Amino acid sequence: MAYNQEAELYWNNLLNRFSCTPENIRTIQFDFSSDPDYQCALQLASEEQRAEYEDICRTCTYNLNLQYGLNGAVHSFIESHENGIADEKLQNQKKQLEDDMKKIKKKIPKAWWMPLPFIGLAFGIIDFIVMLLITVFYEIDSGHDMSDFVAGCFFFSTIFIVMAYVLQFSYFLLYDILYNIFMIIYAFVWFMVAIVQSNLPFGKPVFILVYWLPMFVIPLIVFLSTFPWKFARRLKRDKLLEQYANDLEWFETATDGIVGGYENYMNGLYAEYASRKSSPDAFLVLSQEAYDYRDSLKQKFAKELQSFEDKKPK
């Protein structure tokens, strides 16, 4: 058997072990310079065979080193990305938005308990019923002062109506409209009672003190003092909620930009190394680390975004 045939035997054995053919051996990534079959093939090969085998070995080793170089470049970029060096502008914007959302959240007034104003309305209705019962069951003629009991009823009725107004602190537009309609009717009814029931001492100073003043003046003062405040509070809350929503949208845009920038860089890096391949068919891939880091970024940003969504005041 000629030496070149024996060399071909060892060479084919190497190809079989690497599942390669003579046509695609130059596309694999492997350094088989110390492989026993390769060494035996070199020793038995003719000069022409030796030159071909050595050239193929250099090409496969080059492919392997090219892959190592790409993997190293990917790893270095990921490290810089984790340290905030890469995409520095977007990373800083993301951090600033996070800080802004935390500050805004602290400034947003808490939402009022929704049943609160309706409890106030109930107080107002109860007060109306109490006052009506006093008028029906106690005949107060113009020649007598009110008893202590009736005066006490008026006093506690006053407390009810003031509490009803104070509970309006929750700014709810429909409730405010209904409540004030109720108070207009309330005042009108008692005004008509004062006109029709001539036996009621509406002109007496003591009655003015315990009825007119508490039942109309005090609630009016409470209303005028709380309405602008709660309205301004509502406007402030709406404005801060809108700002929070905008920051949330910008935060999503910033994180999408970071992921997009990372993907673009990886694609550019691959294209750069692919341009150095020994042949168009040479095997070259981005490492799994590149995809794992991208997926971890997406999961991290999605989790942060959901966290800010969940913590957004309702």
Side-chain angles (χ1 to χ4, degrees):
M1 183 179 287
Y3 284 127
N4 61 350
Q5 291 177 335
E6 292 183 2
E8 196 72 20
L9 182 64
Y10 285 110
W11 180 252
N12 287 333
N13 190 35
L14 183 145
L15 293 179
N16 289 333
R17 285 196 292 108
F18 288 106
S19 301
C20 294
T21 64
E23 290 77 21
N24 68 5
I25 180 65
R26 293 179 182 275
T27 66
I28 69 169
Q29 303 170 344
F30 197 75
D31 181 6
F32 50 81
S33 58
S34 58
D35 186 89
D37 285 327
Y38 175 71
Q39 292 295 331
C40 290
L42 285 184
Q43 292 174 6
L44 300 174
S46 63
E47 290 187 12
E48 183 178 351
Q49 286 176 313
R50 176 186 289 272
E52 182 182 0
Y53 296 161
E54 288 178 341
D55 182 62
I56 291 174
C57 183
R58 283 193 297 270
T59 299
C60 293
T61 303
Y62 174 81
N63 292 341
L64 179 64
N65 291 334
L66 192 67
Q67 184 67 66
Y68 284 156
L70 177 58
N71 293 349
V74 167
H75 182 75
S76 297
F77 183 77
I78 288 176
E79 282 190 337
S80 67
H81 206 276
E82 288 176 333
N83 295 330
I85 299 174
D87 289 331
E88 186 174 1
K89 183 178 180 180
L90 286 172
Q91 295 276 14
N92 290 339
Q93 182 185 9
K94 171 181 170 291
K95 183 66 170 61
Q96 182 179 350
L97 288 169
E98 288 175 351
D99 294 340
D100 283 350
M101 281 187 282
K102 290 176 182 176
K103 292 176 182 177
I104 292 171
K105 185 174 179 296
K106 291 180 180 178
K107 294 179 181 178
I108 296 177
K110 291 184 178 180
W112 291 109
W113 187 43
M114 286 308 295
L116 196 65
F118 298 98
I119 294 174
L121 183 58
F123 277 154
I125 294 172
I126 292 172
D127 177 78
F128 180 82
I129 294 172
V130 170
M131 294 295 291
L132 189 61
L133 290 175
I134 290 173
T135 303
V136 171
F137 291 105
Y138 289 90
E139 293 294 334
I140 307 172
D141 60 39
S142 58
H144 298 83
D145 291 332
M146 288 187 301
S147 66
D148 292 340
F149 175 75
V150 176
C153 288
F154 277 113
F155 174 74
F156 285 109
S157 179
T158 301
I159 293 177
F160 263 65
I161 202 68
V162 171
M163 288 178 65
Y165 267 109
V166 169
L167 287 173
Q168 278 194 111
F169 282 166
S170 175
Y171 179 70
F172 182 54
L173 184 58
L174 179 60
Y175 166 78
D176 273 349
I177 293 172
L178 294 175
Y179 193 93
N180 285 283
I181 290 174
F182 167 79
M183 290 308 300
I184 291 171
I185 296 173
Y186 182 95
F188 177 76
V189 168
W190 286 109
F191 177 74
M192 293 304 296
V193 169
I195 294 176
V196 175
Q197 298 293 331
S198 59
N199 63 322
L200 292 179
F202 277 86
K204 291 193 173 186
V206 65
F207 198 89
I208 294 174
L209 181 64
V210 299
Y211 178 66
W212 287 113
L213 184 63
M215 298 309 295
F216 292 103
V217 177
I218 293 178
L220 181 62
I221 293 173
V222 172
F223 175 76
L224 292 177
S225 63
T226 60
F227 185 83
W229 174 81
K230 66 183 179 179
F231 187 73
R233 180 183 183 276
R234 179 69 185 210
L235 289 179
K236 176 185 177 183
R237 177 178 168 80
D238 289 345
K239 182 178 179 181
L240 289 173
L241 283 173
E242 182 180 358
Q243 186 178 348
Y244 189 97
N246 289 337
D247 275 3
L248 200 60
E249 184 178 346
W250 296 337
F251 179 85
E252 185 176 9
T253 301
T255 53
D256 287 345
I258 291 173
V259 174
Y262 171 80
E263 290 177 334
N264 290 337
Y265 186 87
M266 287 294 115
N267 291 334
L269 198 62
Y270 176 81
E272 178 188 347
Y273 275 81
S275 65
R276 307 180 198 171
K277 291 196 298 185
S278 57
S279 70
D281 297 328
F283 188 73
L284 184 69
V285 294
L286 283 170
S287 64
Q288 188 61 38
E289 183 183 16
Y291 297 104
D292 290 344
Y293 183 71
R294 179 202 61 189
D295 294 340
S296 69
L297 278 180
K298 288 182 177 180
Q299 291 174 3
K300 174 187 173 185
F301 294 154
K303 186 176 180 181
E304 289 178 352
L305 186 65
Q306 188 61 49
S307 173
F308 284 118
E309 284 276 12
D310 294 340
K311 293 178 180 178
K312 178 181 178 181
K314 302 297 186 290

